[in-house]
Amino acid sequence: MVEITTPLTEEKARALRAGQKVAVTGVIFTGRDAAHKKLVEALDRGEELPVDLRDQIIYYVGPCPPKPGWAIGSAGPTTSYRMDSYAPRLIREAGLRGMIGKGQRGPEVVAAMKEDGAVYFLAMGGAGAVLAQRIKKAEVVAYPELGTEAIHRLEVVGFPLIVGLDAAGNDAYVEGRTRYARPAPA
């Protein structure tokens, strides 16, 4: 298990390898497609973003309301390809260094990650309540009108992830299929 403390610098990101288990401690931000659209529209207008994404990690999640005593409700990952049209701009222009979600990414995202030294982490789908236990504080920091899709600032401790795509373009999904493939029966 590799322990990472945010911010996630390019040096830290480039040292990670697809398939590695990591535990992230520090600050991460949330954002789904509605927030990503607003962020890219702000870039289009030449505006400063409401959060500084340089060397930061965005978790593709729309958290549920918290239960009493919890910082946040269930916080499972959403399918990442929905952010693929926005992610390259945020990586290249805003300095986004890491993304957390589930599922594979498109070629434009992979190219931006390789070029700028970013990484994509996988969170376990269906484990939102377990992941929420690793979130110690949550506050809305941008786009509150989006409700659960607002950008939240999360403080996490030992947030468990797997490196899905590393900064060299290696893909844990592809490597996993190759590694565990069985020959067809004769």
Side-chain angles (χ1 to χ4, degrees), residues 18-37:
Q20 278 184 312
K21 294 176 185 174
V22 300
V24 175
T25 297
V27 172
I28 62 176
F29 293 93
T30 69
R32 290 177 38 157
D33 31 343
H36 276 66
K37 182 175 190 248

Side-chain angles (χ1 to χ4, degrees), residues 4 8-18 53-58 60 87-100 105 108-121 163-170:
I4 297 171
L8 180 63
T9 63
E10 182 176 355
E11 180 181 7
K12 288 180 191 177
R14 288 197 184 275
L16 297 170
R17 297 291 170 253
L53 295 178
R54 184 150 312 281
D55 292 336
Q56 298 300 323
I57 299 171
I58 287 185
Y60 302 149
R89 296 251 339 253
L90 295 177
I91 293 167
R92 291 185 172 126
E93 297 175 38
L96 179 64
R97 191 70 58 202
M99 300 154 285
I100 303 170
R105 305 308 298 269
E108 298 84 9
V109 177
V110 176
M113 290 173 56
K114 288 168 63 174
E115 192 174 303
D116 288 77
V119 66
Y120 170 55
F121 298 104
V163 178
L165 278 163
D166 64 30
N170 299 306

Side-chain angles (χ1 to χ4, degrees), residues 38-47 49 89-90 93-94:
K38 288 176 96 53
L39 290 168
V40 168
E41 287 170 346
L43 288 174
D44 289 343
R45 293 187 301 269
E47 297 172 0
L49 297 181
R89 296 251 339 253
L90 295 177
E93 297 175 38

Side-chain angles (χ1 to χ4, degrees), residues 144-167:
E145 69 276 11
L146 296 178
T148 61
E149 290 202 35
I151 296 177
H152 293 73
R153 180 185 182 275
L154 306 180
E155 292 179 17
V156 300
V157 175
F159 200 76
L161 304 167
I162 296 171
V163 178
L165 278 163
D166 64 30

Side-chain angles (χ1 to χ4, degrees), residues 133-152:
Q133 293 174 15
R134 298 298 183 148
I135 300 168
K136 303 307 178 188
K137 185 175 179 185
E139 64 179 317
V140 173
V141 293
Y143 310 133
E145 69 276 11
L146 296 178
T148 61
E149 290 202 35
I151 296 177
H152 293 73

